[in-house]
Amino acid sequence: MVALVFAVPSGALAKKKGKGGPPPAAPAAPNPANPVEALAPYINDLDNLLALVRTVNKSNSEFLAQSSGRIITLRQEFIGQQESAPDDQKGKFKAAVATCDVISAALEDREKTLGNLESSAAVKGGGKLEAPAKKDNLEQGLHGGSTAKAVGAIVERDRERQAIAQGKAHAKGNDNALTSMAVNQWNQRAIDWRQKIVANYSQIK
């Protein structure tokens, strides 16, 4: 896949060092009349937007947290621009709306995947489900004198503990395997989403 690189417009004032300096200027609101520029932040940070575990810092935390809502607002602004644009300009706004739709669908899919992973993590398999039925009396079925029964009870207790431990280890292995499979499936879907988003964005001319 050919990687498309788009420059995010600069212009935000750098934060001055030292106490008493003016606060940094807020990022300029996206200009819906220029959809290539308005959508550039989403394209430039697309891999991070789609990642299940995002890289968050002071400069991007607000953008990442509000990305889903902002893209919906931007979509509506593109529709308004399309309605008033000359006929030869309507196409780029139509492509911009389509790009917003695919980004929104990808972010919704990501949120659903995260929810499913959180749900599966909350419902863990228990070792006792795989362990043999516990005896109410560990001496049940054991023969011999009191000493023999005491030794047998200890052996039976240790056997039960080992079975439960093995069951827990097996259940944990299954949980990890299912989580890994879900993450791998999302990573593949994220690649597909990225291709669709970039393809739609490239149609904005």
Side-chain angles (χ1 to χ4, degrees):
M1 181 179 68
V2 179
L4 300 179
V5 179
F6 303 92
V8 179
S10 59
L13 297 176
K15 183 178 181 181
K16 293 184 178 181
K17 295 182 179 180
K19 296 181 180 180
N31 179 11
N34 188 341
V36 171
E37 181 179 296
L39 287 169
Y42 297 89
I43 302 303
N44 290 338
D45 207 21
L46 191 53
D47 289 337
N48 198 27
L49 275 172
L50 297 179
L52 293 179
V53 180
R54 292 169 170 172
T55 300
V56 182
N57 51 51
K58 291 182 179 180
S59 63
N60 70 5
S61 59
E62 182 178 350
F63 170 75
L64 292 174
Q66 300 179 4
S67 56
S68 296
R70 284 181 173 181
I71 203 68
I72 293 174
T73 300
L74 201 53
R75 179 186 187 276
Q76 292 304 116
E77 292 177 338
F78 289 149
I79 291 176
Q81 291 288 329
Q82 181 182 358
E83 291 175 351
S84 59
D87 290 343
D88 62 344
Q89 296 292 312
K90 290 184 182 295
K92 69 178 181 181
F93 294 108
K94 182 178 180 181
V97 171
T99 303
C100 290
D101 287 339
V102 182
I103 292 175
S104 291
L107 294 178
E108 184 177 347
D109 190 11
R110 174 185 176 274
E111 287 300 314
K112 182 179 179 181
T113 299
L114 284 174
N116 290 340
L117 286 172
E118 290 173 359
S119 296
S120 64
V123 184
K124 293 294 186 181
K128 291 185 178 181
L129 296 178
E130 310 222 4
K134 179 181 179 180
K135 292 182 179 180
D136 293 331
N137 181 0
L138 293 179
E139 295 183 6
Q140 179 182 345
L142 299 178
H143 302 283
S146 58
T147 301
K149 286 186 176 182
V151 172
I154 294 173
V155 172
E156 180 66 18
R157 180 200 63 196
D158 291 343
R159 184 197 67 80
E160 182 177 301
R161 287 177 176 174
Q162 182 179 359
I164 292 174
Q166 290 173 343
K168 287 183 177 179
H170 181 64
K172 183 177 181 180
N174 287 341
D175 291 336
N176 291 339
L178 289 173
T179 299
S180 178
M181 182 173 64
V183 170
N184 289 336
Q185 289 175 345
W186 167 251
N187 289 339
Q188 183 57 54
R189 289 207 307 281
I191 293 173
D192 295 339
W193 280 123
R194 190 186 196 286
Q195 292 175 340
K196 292 177 182 177
I197 292 168
V198 173
N200 279 275
Y201 183 73
S202 66
Q203 296 302 310
I204 305 174
K205 300 177 181 179

